[in-house]
Amino acid sequence: MTECEKIVKRDAFLKAIEVEDAPSAAEGLDLDSMVVDPSYDGVKLEKEMTQEFIDDMIERFKNGKKIARKYVFQIILAVMDIVKKEPTMVETSITEPSHTITICGDTHGQFFDLLNIFKLAGPPSPTNSYLFNGDFVDRGSWSTEVALTLYAYKWLYPTSFFLNRGNHETDDMNRMYGFEGECRAKYTERVFKLFSESFSALPLATLVNSKFLVLHGGLFSDDNITLDDIRKLNRFKQRQPGQSGLMMEMLWTDPQTAPGRGPSKRGVGLQFGPDVTKRFCERNGLEAIIRSHEVRMEGYEVEHDGKCITVFSAPHYCDSTGNKGAFIKIGKENKMEFTKFNAVPHPDVKPMAYASNGLAGLI
């Protein structure tokens, strides 16, 4: 309780001094004059991302090494520039029989399980698209490695590798559940601030084949919300989702079995029933919504008469839950193919190793 009270007080203080129009953390960052240490033994990153660099970076991460700080800045800034140009709801279609998109849920800093996803579902490519549906970071203790790997692929394949924002791509969560501390420990405070800026620029949803709406949390408090309302939402108006509004609901809500809507067990957002999902899908011409945000013991669950699918991709979550992970492949014919997988071994670093104020021992 004492530790939690400290965190609440610190968070209130940070909010009080926060300046909404603060200058970018990229201001004054001169990458051209930034020198990589001559002893750096990894592949060099020039002006464009390459598969060679990604392969080398992944090997470094597997061996407990880091990449040069200049390269971290390059990757974040390049991706921030890409995602800022994307709409709030990205729309993508699979048009070729040989082309698929793999939809993944929360990965939460579980880097070695992320590599297993790429092994099982195939490496990202222009014909093997991926969509990661938020919560890349926090809790797992390889969050910088996960974020940089996803960002590197986004830079390499900007039109076939997609990232939605989750409720853990927010400052409040990152301060409490480890990502901010991890950025400081492995790199610098400025790296976290740049990641924070890039998170606030991420799209909030992806529409696949005009039939599947993929968003991190779920549906809304108002039945009148449509896909057009999501399209028109200015996600740049506020960097953080706050306690109410469309952005908050997209990141935080959960399904329930009972009809109608109910209070959230999380204390923020709400819960929505099968009738809410049915009306939303019918009104917007959707087959289903695909969301993440919650552990499912089998890695996924088909709910609400098939119209709400939850997918969660962090197996044995926090090294304690015993759940499977899962991902969904969708092709041109809109058929969903589910794959479940178990956790793979990882180095002996506990979850929440970088959480603030001893929270790792509390959660």
Side-chain angles (χ1 to χ4, degrees):
M1 176 65 78
T2 302
E3 293 298 336
C4 286
E5 286 174 346
K6 286 180 186 175
I7 292 166
V8 169
K9 286 179 181 176
R10 187 192 68 169
D11 213 37
F13 172 72
L14 289 168
K15 277 189 170 65
I17 64 172
E18 194 173 72
V19 179
E20 195 64 37
D21 296 322
S24 168
E27 199 168 290
L29 192 61
D30 185 359
L31 291 180
D32 290 334
S33 63
M34 196 175 290
V35 177
V36 175
D37 193 301
S39 66
Y40 184 75
D41 59 354
V43 170
K44 306 297 188 289
L45 178 60
E46 303 297 340
K47 297 296 184 183
E48 298 294 333
M49 181 55 65
T50 65
Q51 186 66 56
E52 181 190 18
F53 179 87
I54 293 175
D55 292 343
D56 178 75
M57 178 179 71
I58 286 172
E59 283 303 310
R60 294 181 69 82
F61 289 163
K62 285 163 65 175
N63 294 317
K65 296 181 179 180
K66 297 180 288 186
I67 59 172
R69 194 182 307 165
K70 176 180 179 177
Y71 301 158
V72 175
F73 289 141
Q74 275 184 266
I75 292 168
I76 301 171
L77 290 173
V79 171
M80 184 152 44
D81 185 56
I82 291 167
V83 298
K84 276 183 175 177
K85 296 171 184 173
E86 291 183 324
T88 295
M89 184 177 75
V90 172
E91 300 184 46
T92 186
S93 293
I94 307 303
T95 58
E96 300 296 328
S98 60
H99 185 176
T100 61
I101 185 166
T102 300
I103 300 170
C104 302
D106 305 34
T107 45
H108 274 306
Q110 296 186 197
F111 175 67
F112 295 88
D113 295 307
L114 171 66
L115 298 186
N116 191 36
I117 291 172
F118 292 143
K119 180 180 178 182
L120 294 171
S125 75
T127 59
N128 191 34
S129 296
Y130 275 86
L131 166 55
F132 282 85
N133 193 27
D135 283 16
F136 327 126
V137 301
D138 285 338
R139 292 204 167 99
S141 295
W142 290 271
S143 290
T144 56
E145 288 83 356
V146 168
L148 287 168
T149 301
L150 296 181
Y151 272 30
Y153 272 121
K154 178 64 180 174
W155 187 4
L156 183 62
Y157 299 120
T159 59
S160 61
F161 196 93
F162 305 102
L163 302 171
N164 283 346
R165 189 179 189 179
N167 68 303
H168 276 266
E169 279 71 56
T170 57
D171 288 354
D172 288 355
M173 296 292 104
N174 296 160
R175 286 170 186 149
M176 189 172 291
Y177 293 107
F179 184 59
E180 182 180 37
E182 184 179 334
C183 286
R184 285 175 171 168
K186 293 180 181 177
Y187 295 103
T188 65
E189 171 72 12
R190 193 173 201 171
V191 166
F192 170 70
K193 288 184 175 178
L194 279 174
F195 265 125
S196 171
E197 282 185 48
S198 72
F199 290 166
S200 68
L202 289 171
L204 300 178
T206 302
L207 185 64
V208 177
N209 288 355
S210 301
K211 291 298 180 184
F212 301 98
L213 177 67
V214 187
L215 72 174
H216 182 73
L219 296 181
F220 311 100
S221 56
D222 183 350
D223 268 350
N224 293 318
I225 298 298
T226 66
L227 294 181
D228 272 342
D229 292 306
I230 301 174
R231 289 186 182 100
K232 293 172 185 173
L233 175 62
N234 181 3
R235 69 187 189 277
F236 301 108
K237 194 173 181 180
Q238 58 181 87
R239 284 186 52 184
Q240 304 303 319
Q243 297 295 308
S244 62
L246 213 58
M247 184 191 296
M248 181 279 292
E249 292 178 354
M250 293 175 73
L251 298 183
W252 278 97
T253 60
D254 298 295
Q256 64 181 23
T257 55
R261 294 176 174 86
S264 172
K265 56 186 179 290
R266 302 172 187 271
V268 61
L270 55 96
Q271 296 188 164
F272 57 95
D275 55 327
V276 175
T277 305
K278 182 181 179 184
R279 288 193 296 270
F280 182 83
C281 288
E282 287 177 350
R283 182 167 189 177
N284 292 282
L286 300 174
E287 287 193 17
I289 66 162
I290 299 174
R291 42 90 61 182
S292 303
H293 195 41
E294 291 180 291
V295 177
R296 291 293 188 264
M297 292 309 293
E298 291 301 307
Y300 75 94
E301 186 175 358
V302 180
E303 307 168 73
H304 292 186
D305 301 313
K307 294 191 177 299
C308 177
I309 295 102
T310 297
V311 60
F312 192 84
S313 304
H316 197 37
Y317 181 46
C318 291
D319 287 356
S320 61
T321 310
N323 62 293
K324 290 180 170 64
F327 55 80
I328 306 167
K329 270 191 183 289
I330 297 177
K332 182 182 178 183
E333 303 302 322
N334 290 331
K335 181 182 176 184
M336 289 186 284
E337 179 186 312
F338 298 90
T339 299
K340 299 187 287 187
F341 57 95
N342 292 313
V344 296
H346 62 72
D348 188 20
V349 180
K350 302 301 181 192
M352 305 283 286
Y354 302 95
S356 61
N357 289 341
L359 196 64
L362 298 172
I363 293 183

